[in-house]
Amino acid sequence: MKLSARNQLPGKVKHIDTGMVTAEVVIALDGGGEITSVITKKAVENLGLTVGKKVYAVVKSTEVMVAVD
Amino acid sequence: MKLSARNQLPGKVKHIDTGMVTAEVVIALDGGGEITSVITKKAVENLGLTVGKKVYAVVKSTEVMVAVD
Amino acid sequence: MKLSARNQLPGKVKHIDTGMVTAEVVIALDGGGEITSVITKKAVENLGLTVGKKVYAVVKSTEVMVAVD
Amino acid sequence: MKLSARNQLPGKVKHIDTGMVTAEVVIALDGGGEITSVITKKAVENLGLTVGKKVYAVVKSTEVMVAVD
Amino acid sequence: MKLSARNQLPGKVKHIDTGMVTAEVVIALDGGGEITSVITKKAVENLGLTVGKKVYAVVKSTEVMVAVD
Amino acid sequence: MKLSARNQLPGKVKHIDTGMVTAEVVIALDGGGEITSVITKKAVENLGLTVGKKVYAVVKSTEVMVAVD
């Protein structure tokens, strides 16, 4: 499947915190730094996410803001 | 200003494409790779964005999806 | 690629309206009804979207609201 | 109330999973297929959502991605 | 129609800037201050938005960030 | 830090409801009315949010819908 979302950053799952409905997934990016994702607990199960697994952090462009110091 | 959005990736503006209402800003991340943002044309002007400027790509965690191969 | 976004509705592209930065893509869902997407013009080009092409409308669960009459 | 969000798909609540802050609402679409929504627990209460209730899944166009096989 | 989105702030349309696909709608809030919305040009037409019209700015809670000085 | 998000409404934290992963933060706006935010529990901790604290509700323009009666 090829997706319109233009931001697909490769990394590895570093940490998963699971709640009742949602889960927080911290991804260590291959390029350095981390990105945090909040998805449903069921999505974590569907994808079989575990610490160390290779993943992509995917973000639609309209969801990305820009900041300057 | 300190923001709740937990993803703030440093980089430099690589390219700006300006439309009538929105603009597409491509950011070369310091860690490698690129991230594309769509913000309003007025936000580009307010921030004084130009190619080469140091910026952060900022994303709320609930906007980040996870994908696996 | 398998994605955490749990809403992936099959359909066909019915109409594309292209602006300078963004494009509006109307998808006729296989189950009936339509769904409208706004993505970047470049994403339309990257995916090779044309009228009649089979696609999926993909939505992250946290972006779906519920309404009652 | 008439809303700018152009995607308003009719269906019935199939399942509700309630957490401490958020809840996951699965909607069986009238046209077939399902759509999953994550909203606050309080919104579930405010709308009086229960299994079987007629609802609309509402999505802003800028939140809809497109995928191809 | 009653909507799960818990933020519905009353105001009046102050300005509309129309592009090819999207439009920027600036709303003067009844409580003071402004809020800017980017919706599709067709949504502006569907709602019959004009300067001075009474409207609500509607935002899903998961889209609201918090900042501190 | 200066942010592209054009909606930054001042207020005070009125209530915080904390779940396992997310938290709901209700902000009493200085201009009157309330706005509800769902952010991660860790963001609440990082910002040191407590009832009464002065904050801004921050929303990207593409996340704001418009409704009419």
Side-chain angles (χ1 to χ4, degrees), chain F residues 4-42:
Chain F
S4 60
R6 291 172 55 195
N7 301 302
Q8 311 192 7
L9 303 171
K12 286 208 181 76
V13 174
K14 184 184 173 186
H15 190 76
I16 301 174
D17 241 353
T18 307
M20 293 169 74
V21 169
T22 58
E24 179 178 309
V25 180
V26 179
I27 298 166
L29 296 175
D30 288 352
E34 291 181 5
I35 199 160
T36 300
S37 162
V38 173
I39 58 178
T40 58
K41 189 176 65 170
K42 279 184 195 152

Side-chain angles (χ1 to χ4, degrees), chain B residues 9-61:
Chain B
L9 303 171
K12 285 208 182 78
V13 175
K14 185 184 172 185
H15 191 76
I16 301 175
D17 241 352
T18 307
M20 293 170 74
V21 169
T22 58
E24 179 178 309
V25 180
V26 179
I27 299 166
L29 297 174
D30 288 354
E34 291 179 6
I35 199 161
T36 299
S37 163
V38 173
I39 58 178
T40 57
K41 189 176 66 169
K42 279 184 195 152
V44 170
E45 295 165 1
N46 290 347
L47 294 180
L49 296 184
T50 51
V51 172
K53 193 176 178 98
K54 293 181 77 168
V55 294
Y56 297 85
V58 178
V59 186
K60 193 175 187 302
S61 300

Side-chain angles (χ1 to χ4, degrees), chain A:
Chain A
M1 199 178 71
K2 198 176 166 190
L3 189 66
S4 60
R6 291 172 55 195
N7 301 302
Q8 310 192 8
L9 302 171
K12 286 207 181 76
V13 175
K14 185 184 173 185
H15 190 77
I16 301 175
D17 242 352
T18 307
M20 292 170 75
V21 169
T22 58
E24 179 177 309
V25 180
V26 179
I27 298 168
L29 297 176
D30 288 353
E34 292 179 5
I35 199 162
T36 299
S37 161
V38 173
I39 57 178
T40 58
K41 188 176 69 169
K42 280 184 194 151
V44 170
E45 294 166 2
N46 290 348
L47 294 181
L49 296 185
T50 50
V51 172
K53 193 176 178 100
K54 293 182 75 167
V55 295
Y56 297 85
V58 178
V59 186
K60 194 174 185 306
S61 301
T62 43
E63 306 299 342
V64 180
M65 291 164 284
V66 180
V68 296
D69 271 326

Side-chain angles (χ1 to χ4, degrees), chain D residues 29-46:
Chain D
L29 297 175
D30 289 352
E34 291 180 4
I35 199 160
T36 299
S37 162
V38 173
I39 58 179
T40 58
K41 189 176 67 169
K42 279 182 194 152
V44 170
E45 295 164 2
N46 290 347

Side-chain angles (χ1 to χ4, degrees), chain E residues 33-44:
Chain E
E34 291 180 4
I35 198 161
T36 299
S37 162
V38 173
I39 57 179
T40 57
K41 188 176 67 169
K42 280 184 194 152
V44 170

Side-chain angles (χ1 to χ4, degrees), chain D:
Chain D
M1 198 178 72
K2 199 175 163 190
L3 188 67
S4 62
R6 291 171 57 196
N7 302 301
Q8 311 192 8
L9 303 171
K12 285 208 181 76
V13 175
K14 185 184 174 185
H15 190 78
I16 302 174
D17 242 353
T18 307
M20 292 170 76
V21 168
T22 59
E24 179 178 310
V25 180
V26 179
I27 298 167
L29 297 175
D30 289 352
E34 291 180 4
I35 199 160
T36 299
S37 162
V38 173
I39 58 179
T40 58
K41 189 176 67 169
K42 279 182 194 152
V44 170
E45 295 164 2
N46 290 347
L47 294 181
L49 296 185
T50 51
V51 172
K53 194 175 178 102
K54 294 182 76 168
V55 295
Y56 298 85
V58 178
V59 186
K60 194 174 187 302
S61 300
T62 44
E63 304 299 342
V64 180
M65 292 165 282
V66 180
V68 295
D69 270 326

